[in-house]
Amino acid sequence: MQIEASLWNASWATDGGRMQISLSYAPFEARYRGFDVARCSVDKSSDMNQFSSSGSVLKQGGGEEFSEELLLKPFPDRKVLAHFHFQSRAPHSSSHGRHHHLFPKAIAQLVKKFRVKEMELSFTQGRWRYEQWGGFDPLSSNNAKPPGVELWAVFDVPQSLVDVYWRNLTHTLSGLFCASINFLESSTTYSAPELTFKPSFGNLRYGTLPREAVCTENLTPWLKLLPCRDKAGLSALMDRPSIYRGFYHSQRLRLTSSESGSDEVDSGIGLEQTLTVVLQPSSWRTGKTYSVETNIQPSWSISSIFGRNIPGKCVIAKSSNVYLHLDNGLVGELKNLERENAKYVANTFESEGFQSNHAFKISVTPDKVFEEVDYLHGKSTSVIYGFSVEKYSDSQPFDLGLTWKIPVVWSCQQAPLHASRFLMGSGNERGAIAISLESTESSEGLPTSHIIDGRCELRVDIFQVVPWYIKVYFHTLQVFVDKQPRAMADVVDKIRVSPSKDKVSPGVMEMILKLPCGSKSAAFSLEFDKGFLHIDEYPPDANQGFDIPSALISFPSFNARMNFSEDEFLNNSPILSKFQETSPVLSYTEVLLIPLTTPDFSMPYNVITITCTVFALYFGSLLNVLRRRVDEEERILRSRAGRKAGWISQLLSRLSAKLRGRPQEQPTSSLPYSFISFRLVLKILLVASIAVTWQYYFG
Amino acid sequence: MSEISPEVPDNRQDAPSHVDPNSTRITKPGVKRLVLTLSVLFSLVLGFPFLWKSVEIYRSSLPFGEISEMESNPSLSFPCRFQAVFINFNSNPSPNHLQLSILDKITELTSNSSQCGACANDLALSVTVDSISSCTQTHPTDNSNYYRCGAISAVDFDFSNDDDDGVDELLESVLGVKNVYSVVVVNGGGEGIRAVVGKYRHAWIVGSVEEEEEESVLVSRVAEIFVKMFVNGGTENGLIHGEFMPVGADRRIVLSFNLLNAEPNDWVYDWDFQRVDETLLAPIIKVLGPIANISVESQVLYHTPKSSFSYWDEKWKSYIFSTKDLPFFVNSNEWHLDTSIAAGGRSKILQFVVYVPSAKECPLSLLLPTGEISKTNGFISPMWGGVVVWNPPGCLNSETNHPSRHTMSREDLQAVFEVFMGQFRQLFGLKSNNLYIGASGTYHLLPSGKGFTEWELDVLSRQFACFNLHSCATTLGSLSRLVQSLPRMIIMDEIGKLVQFSLEAAKLAQSNASLGDNESSAVSSGQARSLAEDAFFHPSIMSISYYSFEHCFAIYSPFFLPVSMHVLLAALREWKRYKQEKAKYTAWKAKVKVES
């Protein structure tokens, strides 16, 4: 029997890096114990689970099910998106609180213990590039996350208890995912949005840690929640070096639990785990061969992106599918190209599914082709190819490849406004935060539903959390629409501000804006003062600056959803049914880095030293004065002078006499003053030149 | 600055002008400056202890003496109340004589094992000799809960037949008194001596006793039942397992059952744990209620290969892993058994694992060092739990490519959980044999349908208290060693209080134990243990403020170094000058005297 344990993030031991660990006390001894203080009560009443000896695992698993899916999507900037989607479900019943067949036990216990109604935790590295990778589709709205850790949770407890449950939840999650989520425990790091984030009744908490580094130690516990982990199925693709080499990496865990009271079919606990990575296919070689056509998209396959193949499905999974998504910009472009080439006219994609057309080639025949149905516009719509991994195995792995034949240029559909946030001002005292919203060209065809009272308006929600040491003056909010200053009341429909309290709570600003439809840009600025932190509150690397979490910009009047024609298959595919759900278009702004005045941490020492020295000097001289006998000293001096002394001592005595302001009684020396000063100046010059050369060559 | 120094007083004018001030002095040297510098020096020296006191690190005083005292002897002494009833003895041995010889035997048996929980100090034995004609009884001083004369004879039961359960129930109805362990010795019946230990707190010995020697055999058997069974719980090593009592300080145990499918691509097995929980586990949990609060959870895991190797053995027609592979069997990298979130901080989690081997290592059997295949095909790891390897039926001939999905049959589950039950008892240090071979013969143990007999529960409850006290003592001991080894560590008052409370609770547990109250002794010993752990893991110890001596020196030296130099030098110089001047003065005085 062995116990393996590791100390991670042991900043408590060094008091945040300020204290050095003294190795003179080694060996260090660590003791472990349980990390929790309470447990759920055992539910004695449990209804009998009917036993059925025949039937699939899914039925025997008490209705617990698991499905895995992977969506691949080429991006216009020669990158490829891989979006893993794992969904586990556990039906709600008192007995299944304790016995699990597929559903991760830890999550079920977490939901039960902390009364979590809904929760989302994301670990992200890199920034989602809304301009190139799109911001309008459900994928980006749901999976583009701010860098670092974002956690929000809705609790099913009375409002007075929400904070306590949140704190316990952060601690448990921190242990579960090997991350510093426990820093979200302090009330300065989380907030309770009410207006803009999600409809809630005071039982929602939201917190972010922008600086949290995401790495494989966070992924491993996340994979542990999957029944097959990364041993089989689609998750076997997660080769750590490949996925962490990507441009964007976001692992997300979303929990929904519904009470048994609701009579919905899918009541219970739903766990949705997604991993979104944006990777660059390594295709510089192909780029060389087509050196004439530099615009051609790189050809890729699953094995070339990940370095691995899919060795069949995870046997426990209900469904295991891979999708290739071509977004509507790409499909529209392809259709245009098709029309230009008259000889391909007959070869329409509707009939053939254009898997082998003039523009690209897919290496595997798709099992299904879904086309988005856009009832409103009838514009070009996106296409999804579905591949089932069921029939593949270790000996015959699944490897999907996409080979481009001609260069295609397209762009992804963007959110109506592109949001960016930046800092203004200079110095260590004050500054301003500005949020600028630029209209993107793609939002021309606004739905008519936005016309309210004859005015066409665009609703934009802004949710911004500012740490307490950034003291924002909310009265300085300035609004510019189309670069013209506007009165706040004209644009801001509703605003909710909870000012920060020092060392207690962060400042929260929620705004609902109504922008006129035709406006090209809008900008907001807020001034702030930088606060002072206590010496204990500085992080170990204070000079790096402080992060302000991303602001969340949402467009509630736009729905990021895809419509597919009714199909039985769609209902069995969690990723596609997720796409069909109505969700608002969301985008996050950049994280801001604010430099604060960082004190010199050795300053107290210096102050102590200089004060002590001054005191010591004062004390010493006072003592000297008290015990000095002037006439006796003079007598001794005289007698010494009477003896033949060296010229240096004579000089010294004369100097001291000069300093005392008394005339030398026996001017024995006959040296002229000018000579002394000349030699002195020469010496000083010599020393100075040595110092300068030393400084020049060695300094 | 005074222009006139005291050493050069006014009478200087009267002095002869030829006096050389460097060699002679005609006035007494003054002491004003000497006193001044010396007073500064002394005030500095005197002030130093105050400064030292003021920069001292706050350390709450811990009762080190008491801690070390407890650590050296963390024992509980429970009172033992025994009674031996001799029935149908024609020779009418004197009960006092029997009592003495049994007590002798008991002390002989307990002398070599003086561990916690044994009743070395407080032992009371009552012997009754109950025959048809007469009934004599030795009464211990304290209470009257002992056997009443004629109670068994009145029932008139035939002990000689083999209906052990019937006898057990009958004796329970007659003797059923808490805290008193009884052995009934019945003369008569068939040949030889048959000893049975019942489900409750009594045992009986049936045999025909005619001779004196046989009486001594009976006496030694009675003593052995008392000591080995009722006190030590039938384990060879007594309560040495007390260090491995798998119960949390809050008296909670979480039993986490795991079904591990080593390779789900070969086959996937599921189980109906809900049913097992209700039919097999619930009664045991209820029985163990007084000892521990047990909760059960289960999960099924996939892709969990073992980390040791096995080899094919033609003789056994199976893959073999031997006992020396056991340390490597549990694959901590792949078996994500997980600590339970539902379990509280001080709960103990016991993992029970059913391992379903993959097709390429099926059937998998455990080879014992004796060269036989283990019947249970499982093993335990103390304080961790148990593992059972369950080979799916017909795994040798299944050559299907497609993974098949099954559910473990009810019979298989039952068999596996019987093994688990034995492992569970073993984790508590109890044996599952129904025969105990002692020094003076064999004893039949009646198994309880609920898994644990009452005398075993008594043993466990004592053991739990002992274990708590022991771990409390070790925790406090290591805390006191830590505190003593770091003299510049801050110790908050809270820690001192926690230690004090912990010691108080431990004392309470000891006094409760000596009063015979197992229940409250277990409770307060648990409190002592958790308080000790609280003290040890107090956050203020965790973030030990490192305020070293170097630190202190660096802060105070810029002031005290120069100041003390000044003061010392001034005092020295003044003293030297005073001595010199005084010498000059005395020389002059002597000269004047001589001259005059």
Side-chain angles (χ1 to χ4, degrees), chain A residues 323-325 368-370 382-386 562 564 576 579:
Chain A
Y323 300 100
L324 177 67
H325 183 199
K368 279 264 181 192
V369 180
F370 307 99
S382 62
V383 175
I384 292 180
Y385 299 101
M562 293 160 97
F564 299 102
L576 295 184
F579 282 174

Side-chain angles (χ1 to χ4, degrees), chain A residues 173-209:
Chain A
L173 286 176
S174 156
L176 205 59
F177 288 101
C178 290
S180 349
I181 306 172
N182 55 335
F183 288 153
L184 289 176
E185 172 205 40
S186 127
S187 62
T188 54
T189 49
Y190 66 86
S191 56
E194 282 170 16
L195 269 185
T196 49
F197 187 66
K198 255 184 145 349
S200 74
F201 306 97
N203 49 9
L204 171 78
R205 292 292 177 274
Y206 173 92
T208 51
L209 294 172

Side-chain angles (χ1 to χ4, degrees), chain A residues 94-107:
Chain A
S94 48
S95 63
H96 289 292
R98 290 184 289 141
H99 305 305
H100 300 281
H101 303 264
L102 279 172
F103 197 80
K105 186 175 84 174
I107 293 296

Side-chain angles (χ1 to χ4, degrees), chain A residues 209-448:
Chain A
L209 294 172
R211 197 173 282 184
E212 181 75 7
V214 182
C215 201
T216 172
E217 77 247 22
N218 306 115
L219 184 70
T220 310
W222 183 85
L223 282 172
K224 235 162 75 174
L225 304 175
L226 304 174
C228 283
R229 302 198 305 285
D230 55 351
K231 298 284 163 205
L234 299 178
S235 47
L237 281 180
M238 291 181 195
D239 173 43
R240 304 299 195 283
S242 329
I243 60 171
Y244 283 103
R245 206 165 38 210
F247 289 80
Y248 177 81
H249 171 95
S250 174
Q251 82 185 55
R252 201 169 63 97
L253 176 133
R254 188 177 171 136
L255 267 177
T256 45
S257 90
S258 49
E259 281 300 304
S260 51
S262 66
D263 50 0
E264 275 179 71
V265 187
D266 55 344
S267 74
I269 310 171
L271 171 68
E272 185 189 313
Q273 288 172 266
T274 62
L275 176 75
T276 313
V277 281
V278 177
L279 302 166
Q280 173 93 59
S282 51
S283 64
W284 54 274
R285 195 169 290 165
T286 30
K288 249 181 191 170
T289 49
Y290 291 93
S291 56
V292 191
E293 301 159 306
T294 45
N295 275 339
I296 195 158
Q297 288 277 328
S299 303
W300 50 265
S301 67
I302 287 181
S303 55
S304 79
I305 301 176
F306 292 104
R308 293 181 186 184
N309 291 323
I310 298 174
K313 66 178 275 195
C314 167
V315 273
I316 306 120
K318 189 181 87 173
S319 63
S320 178
N321 298 310
V322 176
Y323 300 100
L324 177 67
H325 183 199
L326 305 180
D327 65 11
N328 41 15
L330 174 59
V331 173
E333 190 65 32
L334 289 175
K335 276 186 178 167
N336 288 341
L337 285 171
E338 198 108 346
R339 260 178 237 125
E340 285 167 22
N341 291 333
K343 57 179 176 179
Y344 288 110
V345 163
N347 193 5
T348 56
F349 6 83
E350 282 84 2
S351 54
E352 297 289 318
F354 73 162
Q355 59 145 314
S356 173
N357 57 15
H358 67 285
F360 63 88
K361 184 175 174 296
I362 303 171
S363 65
V364 184
T365 321
D367 299 319
K368 279 264 181 192
V369 180
F370 307 99
E371 259 195 88
E372 195 190 343
V373 181
D374 196 340
Y375 298 108
L376 287 171
H377 305 302
K379 287 201 301 184
S380 58
T381 55
S382 62
V383 175
I384 292 180
Y385 299 101
F387 307 88
S388 175
V389 191
E390 309 260 344
K391 54 181 182 285
Y392 296 92
S393 67
D394 238 339
S395 49
Q396 189 202 351
F398 176 78
D399 189 7
L400 174 69
L402 181 71
T403 316
W404 294 95
K405 294 175 184 164
I406 53 167
V408 183
V409 180
W410 79 98
S411 67
C412 287
Q413 196 182 359
Q414 310 251 321
L417 296 171
H418 173 67
S420 63
R421 191 177 61 163
F422 48 90
L423 278 181
M424 299 195 297
S426 63
N428 276 334
E429 214 178 331
R430 58 181 66 90
I433 304 175
I435 297 173
S436 111
L437 303 168
E438 298 275 348
S439 165
T440 53
E441 297 303 318
S442 65
S443 60
E444 287 161 14
L446 293 179
T448 49

Side-chain angles (χ1 to χ4, degrees), chain B residues 478-498:
Chain B
S478 50
L479 176 70
S480 88
R481 272 193 300 280
L482 175 80
V483 164
Q484 280 168 319
S485 69
L486 296 175
R488 299 195 68 82
M489 189 173 84
I490 299 167
I491 300 164
M492 309 296 281
D493 264 342
E494 288 91 341
I495 295 171
K497 264 188 199 135
L498 285 171

